[in-house]
Amino acid sequence: MDETALILEAQHGDLDSFNTLVLTYQDIVFNTALRIMGDEESAADATQEAFLSAFRAIKSYRGGSFKAWLLRTVTNACYDELRRQKRRPSVPLEPETDDGEEMETPRWLADPSMSPEEAAEADELEHAIQHCLEALPVEFRAVVVLTDLQGMDYKEVAASVRVPLGTIKSRLARARLRLRECLQGFWELLPATFRLEEEILRT
Amino acid sequence: MTQTPSFRDVEKLSAYLDGQLKPSEIARLESRLKTDPELASILKDLRQTRGLLRRLPQRRAPRNFTLTPKMVGQKPPLPRTYPAFRFATVLATLLLFFTFATNFMAPLARTAAPYPYGRGGGGGGEPETMMEAAPEEPALEMPAMEEPAAPETPEPLSTPAEPSAEDSTGVEPTVEASEKSGVQEAPSGDTFAQQIPDEVPDRSPAPLISAPVQITLASIAILSALVAFALRYVAIRKWRAKAK
């Protein structure tokens, strides 16, 4: 059965058809949530919540990219989840100095509890990127995740996060600049093989 | 001529990477890029960052996120008779409650009248009318109000046919229950009983709703509830089996 037919069935309340769509899209939705939320548990919660609201609101889907529609739902679920977490105290996203000021330098990324060897053993690339993503304000993070990780176009992203197109452009540029700055601080910590790959990528 | 790239330039470069610029903008930017190494360097950085992000490995979902009917609040299709049985249960229970309430209210109405009561037994004056009267409470109130009006004419019924109006302790009245009610009512009844010990020996309030009616109602309530439960149980099991 093709996607359009499945969506139509789901719109008539058929849960089996909807679940077929869930199985098709759950990896994409989970990954989006994971990159926005930062940890698997919250990402799984947001994913489940997103599919639940998607089923409830599926009648409001009026064609277009179903993936984009789902990603809008998961972005909202992530925002809700983050708001919930904010109500409960958690670890701040921005690193702070001893006098409580926000650190500007990305040097904080060099986790003092981790030796370079240990850092190398971890999944460096993913760790570094996730770390830097989490250092971004959530609005920036969502935009960069939807655009660069999920390959959505600006219009779709604008619809997903409900901000004007111009804001998407500026958030994306700012996010990429900050990520670049953050990842540069990480550069030396990355294994040589990775740096080598990057050199190849650079050329 | 080169100029220090502004944030607006960075925005343009970022959009350029994503192919989001108009052809005229692209031409202008590309000509600037040729002459401005700083701008070109920013573009390289942005491209690299973008490339890195795209290389981020895609994780597999840790579990399936399929929805269950319970999660979306879907209910199994229940048989059409189910609401009827459920309604019957509720109605019978309500009626049963009314019978208790009515029987309980009757002696209270009598206390206003200056004649003794309090002993168990006796009564059972108009049990045959109860069947029809049961659902209509106002009709039931009538005899209760009338009786105190003629207290001087004791009814000649002396056989303790039915237990008196008890408190709502149980469906089936027992000897114990009537004794208990006797004890409870003793303080008010005793003084009168001593004053007129033999005049009206078996004067006691007739239960307005007889025990058989109550038992019938209780049976209906319990039976229809059981049938409704069984219907629901079978429907859910069938539905779950189908879902799997």
Side-chain angles (χ1 to χ4, degrees):
Chain A
M1 209 189 271
D2 71 336
E3 187 175 288
T4 319
L6 286 170
I7 295 167
L8 203 69
E9 292 277 307
Q11 283 179 325
H12 286 99
D14 185 52
L15 194 59
D16 290 344
S17 300
F18 185 78
N19 279 336
T20 311
L21 293 164
V22 170
L23 292 173
T24 311
Y25 285 103
Q26 62 181 3
D27 285 347
I28 293 172
V29 170
F30 173 73
N31 268 280
T32 308
L34 179 66
R35 299 311 170 198
I36 296 176
M37 300 302 297
D39 71 288
E40 280 206 19
E41 204 183 320
S42 311
D45 286 350
T47 305
Q48 190 67 80
E49 201 48 52
F51 280 123
L52 202 56
S53 0
F55 183 74
R56 286 182 184 139
I58 196 154
K59 280 188 180 147
S60 72
Y61 168 75
R62 305 250 181 274
S65 162
F66 187 65
K67 179 187 161 188
W69 186 79
L70 271 182
L71 291 184
R72 177 198 300 196
T73 316
V74 73
T75 310
N76 285 334
C78 287
Y79 282 174
D80 288 346
E81 183 67 27
L82 286 168
R83 261 196 294 272
R84 252 197 301 277
Q85 288 182 2
K86 219 173 192 175
R87 282 199 287 270
R88 287 170 275 150
S90 60
V91 186
L93 287 173
E94 297 284 345
E96 288 181 357
T97 58
D98 289 341
D99 13 305
E101 279 187 22
E102 234 175 64
M103 274 190 202
E104 280 304 316
T105 158
R107 286 285 153 201
W108 58 270
L109 285 169
D111 191 341
S113 66
M114 228 187 216
S115 71
E117 287 79 17
E118 281 174 318
E121 277 164 24
D123 191 353
E124 296 84 3
L125 174 61
E126 191 177 356
H127 182 256
I129 296 175
Q130 187 63 48
H131 217 113
C132 292
L133 274 173
E134 280 173 42
L136 292 174
V138 66
E139 298 83 11
F140 290 63
R141 206 187 315 158
V143 171
V144 86
V145 165
L146 292 176
T147 316
D148 284 340
L149 273 68
Q150 298 303 342
M152 285 170 86
D153 68 34
Y154 285 16
K155 271 187 196 157
E156 287 174 341
V157 178
S160 293
V161 297
R162 292 201 180 87
V163 293
L165 209 66
T167 313
I168 296 298
K169 279 185 191 171
S170 104
R171 279 187 188 173
L172 196 57
R174 216 176 280 276
R176 282 169 174 168
L177 271 186
R178 287 180 74 164
L179 280 172
R180 175 68 197 158
E181 192 188 336
C182 170
L183 285 166
Q184 262 174 347
F186 226 88
W187 225 245
E188 293 79 39
L189 294 175
L190 298 178
T193 48
F194 174 70
R195 283 207 301 275
L196 204 67
E197 278 178 41
E198 280 310 301
E199 290 303 318
I200 294 162
L201 199 81
R202 225 182 265 232
T203 50
Chain B
M1 192 192 94
T2 60
Q3 60 189 72
T4 319
S6 64
F7 180 69
R8 188 131 195 91
D9 293 329
V10 178
E11 242 183 71
K12 279 226 169 74
L13 288 170
S14 170
Y16 172 70
L17 278 176
D18 296 324
Q20 298 280 332
L21 288 184
K22 289 176 201 150
S24 58
E25 286 177 309
I26 292 172
R28 213 177 309 146
L29 192 69
E30 280 179 347
S31 69
R32 268 188 72 195
L33 278 167
K34 279 177 195 154
T35 54
D36 190 341
E38 203 175 339
L39 206 63
S41 156
I42 294 173
L43 179 68
K44 201 167 75 180
D45 280 356
L46 288 176
R47 182 177 278 141
Q48 199 177 5
T49 310
R50 186 165 160 272
L52 258 177
L53 288 170
R54 291 187 171 190
R55 285 163 54 100
L56 202 59
Q58 290 277 311
R59 294 265 198 96
R60 291 213 59 184
R63 60 181 166 91
N64 280 343
F65 291 99
T66 47
L67 305 178
T68 62
K70 200 182 165 193
M71 285 160 87
V72 298
Q74 278 188 353
K75 291 188 176 98
L78 294 171
R80 279 188 197 165
T81 44
Y82 175 75
F85 281 107
R86 204 172 54 174
F87 180 71
T89 309
V90 173
L91 189 71
T93 310
L94 278 176
L95 288 177
L96 187 64
F97 177 75
F98 277 132
T99 63
F100 286 129
T102 313
N103 285 353
F104 181 72
M105 293 302 282
L108 287 185
R110 283 192 190 95
T111 48
Y115 79 93
Y117 75 102
R119 299 215 189 140
E126 43 291 315
E128 66 283 350
T129 60
M130 289 313 132
M131 280 297 201
E132 295 90 47
E136 292 150 32
E137 216 191 348
L140 295 171
E141 299 290 2
M142 293 298 282
M145 300 308 283
E146 279 165 9
E147 272 191 64
E152 266 67 57
T153 55
E155 285 173 55
L157 291 163
S158 56
T159 45
E162 300 290 338
S164 64
E166 295 84 16
D167 37 54
S168 48
T169 45
V171 179
E172 292 171 76
T174 59
V175 179
E176 211 177 301
S178 42
E179 275 171 1
K180 190 178 153 211
S181 70
V183 170
Q184 281 171 343
E185 288 154 2
S188 61
D190 263 9
T191 48
F192 285 113
Q194 279 164 8
Q195 284 165 10
I196 28 172
D198 297 320
E199 245 179 276
V200 275
D202 290 313
R203 186 68 204 172
S204 73
L208 291 170
I209 315 277
S210 63
V213 176
Q214 292 181 328
I215 291 166
T216 311
L217 283 173
S219 309
I220 291 170
I222 292 165
L223 275 175
S224 53
L226 284 175
V227 172
F229 178 79
L231 283 173
R232 192 166 170 269
Y233 181 76
V234 171
I236 290 173
R237 280 198 66 173
K238 269 191 196 165
W239 184 60
R240 285 205 181 130
K242 204 182 122 201
K244 279 174 186 172

